[in-house]
Amino acid sequence: MSDRYLDFINSPVGQMVAKNLGLPAPQPLERHEEGKPVVSGDVLLGAAAGSDLTTTIAGILGKFKANVFANFDSGVHAAAAAANLSIQAYAASAEDKQKFKALVFDASGITRSDDLIALHSFFSPVIRKIAFSGRIIVIGRTPELLDNPKHATAQRALEGFVRAIAKEVKKGCNAQLIYVAPGAEQGLESSLRFFISPKSAYVSGQVVRLSNTGIAGETPDWNRPLNGKVALVTGASRGIGAAIAHTLARDGAHVICLDVPQQEADLHQVAGEIGGSVLALDITSAEAPGRIAEHCKNAHGGLDIIVHNAGVTRDKTLANMKEQLWNMVININLSSEERINDELLAQNVIRPNGRVICVSSISGIAGNMGQTNYAVSKAGVIGLVNSSVPALQAKGITINAVAPGFIETQMTAAIPFAIREAGRRMNSMSQGGLPVDVAETIAWFANPASSAVNNNIVRVCGQSLIGA
Ligand SMILES: NC(=O)c1ccc[n+]([C@@H]2O[C@H](COP(=O)([O-])OP(=O)(O)OC[C@H]3O[C@@H](n4cnc5c(N)ncnc54)[C@H](O)[C@@H]3O)[C@@H](O)[C@H]2O)c1
């Protein structure tokens, strides 16, 4: 559904009205377009003294031919030389017209609270030089895994910086923090590529943990990273599910599109557009797990990626909620996912370096009026992710979830106008996201190089104020 306010506010008259009345002024977000570079603008790379991830970061930036700058006095130049990356020296001044599409900072060397000043020293002089839809990426070390309490404290503090700066930068910019566990350095590439690119347009203020899963990742063709992979997407006939199917197919996967038999015509339409196949069934039916497993084995010899996207809302305050509505929502949104995962695991359908990807909701994080059933189901999805890690990891499979905020779909179009408008604006980007924003985040989880991305719940919500 179109966002008329966003269109109006970006017209010459609308800009004047917004300025005079102090109205939110959402900026149209830059999104991925086929053939465009990973980052279309200059990158400023910085590092706190003693950081040990800079060479890895420089090597990754070099792979996608980013145009990289660094301050004269930083240790980045030595790290870049070690990574064979040629960089340009840069000194910020109030007069210079330089704009950066991304500010990337290696904060791994921050070992004490006093050292946190390094964030100020790097970002303060250049924060106004960030371009439209620019990116701020801070990279640190996972606090829970650090032995030294002072070091753990300082690294945990990075979260506050990222969440706050994400609220300060406007112009469609965002900010994220990536914690890298020892041994997970090789997993940084897929995450840095995602977060520095327009694919992460509606993800902001997020903290991602890369862990040493022991799962061997693969180096993909970055233009078609899912070449040769088979993915199954539930609820694929429309909305977010259709966008996921399109995005995974764009990345090279064969997509099995699943939805209820009543949606079969739309399902065939989506599958036809992407060269995928159709599996029309109700995921709550008793035979669904077995049929999915059989289909994947017989038609494809197994499965690489399953995306549990199908979901419904049946909103009522608890006092007015019939037991049947409670059961229906829990069954579709949560219990069926458990049953399907159990069957796929029991029959060893998911191949090594496989992916289980769930769709939660910010309602499952923050709760929402009239959504006790839905919030229970979506909080349960987070529980499913957290609790499934040991069994899945032992089979070389990762599990993660997206938690979308307000996404423009039939589900949100059905919300009454005033509530819908509030939901749309109550985030740092003052607008709803698009189904493709959720799909791109899922495609990053699905990437065969993302084997260090495990047990993460990533909100795709433009940094919604709800549950933040
Ligand atoms: N739209 C949003 O703002 C938003 C926000 C947070 C989370 N989500 C979640 O994203 C997912 C997709 O949402 P959407 O907005 O695209 O919804 P949608 O209603 O447009 O699509 C959901 C799809 O799931 C299918 N489905 C429902 N029950 C099924 C069943 N028993 N078996 C098989 N398929 C079934 C439907 O037929 C439909 O095609 C859902 O899990 C939803 O809870 C959406």
Side-chain angles (χ1 to χ4, degrees), residues 231-238 241-242 245 255-261 263-264 267 270-271 277-284 288-289 291-293 295-296 306-307 309-310 340:
L232 186 145
V233 180
T234 69
S237 74
R238 66 181 203 202
V255 183
I256 306 165
C257 302
L258 183 153
D259 213 303
V260 288
Q263 288 289 112
E264 212 169 334
L267 201 53
V270 173
S277 51
V278 163
L279 188 56
L281 59 81
D282 183 334
I283 53 169
T284 62
R291 276 192 58 199
I292 292 171
H295 180 88
C296 294
I306 181 159
V307 184
N309 161 78
I340 293 167

Side-chain angles (χ1 to χ4, degrees), residues 139-181:
I139 299 168
R141 288 295 192 180
T142 318
E144 309 83 83
L145 301 178
L146 296 169
D147 294 332
N148 183 321
K150 299 276 185 299
H151 194 181
T153 303
Q155 289 294 310
R156 176 61 179 77
L158 300 175
E159 267 200 51
F161 178 76
V162 166
R163 292 190 200 279
I165 198 71
K167 290 182 174 162
E168 283 185 19
V169 281
K170 301 290 175 197
K171 304 188 292 187
C173 299
N174 63 24
Q176 335 283 350
L177 171 59
I178 306 173
Y179 282 131
V180 183

Side-chain angles (χ1 to χ4, degrees), residues 234-242 258-260 263 281-285 308-313 332-333 336-337 359-363 374 378 403-412 435 438:
T234 69
S237 74
R238 66 181 203 202
I240 294 172
L258 183 153
D259 213 303
V260 288
Q263 288 289 112
L281 59 81
D282 183 334
I283 53 169
T284 62
S285 65
H308 292 291
N309 161 78
V312 295
T313 49
I332 295 174
N333 295 4
S336 63
E337 296 184 13
V359 178
S360 178
S361 163
I362 56 169
S363 192
Y374 185 72
K378 294 298 187 180
F406 186 101
I407 306 296
E408 307 279 358
T409 65
Q410 288 188 21
M411 192 183 255
T412 46
V438 180

Side-chain angles (χ1 to χ4, degrees), residues 189-238:
E189 182 165 0
S190 69
S191 301
L192 192 51
R193 280 177 180 265
F194 171 66
F195 284 118
I196 208 168
S197 79
K199 292 180 177 176
S200 60
Y202 198 61
V203 181
S204 192
Q206 295 305 290
V207 180
V208 167
R209 283 171 168 73
L210 304 185
S211 43
N212 185 358
T213 55
I215 301 170
E218 297 154 60
T219 308
D221 165 355
W222 290 101
N223 291 320
R224 303 231 340 143
L226 301 180
N227 261 345
K229 301 286 179 185
V230 178
L232 186 145
V233 180
T234 69
S237 74
R238 66 181 203 202

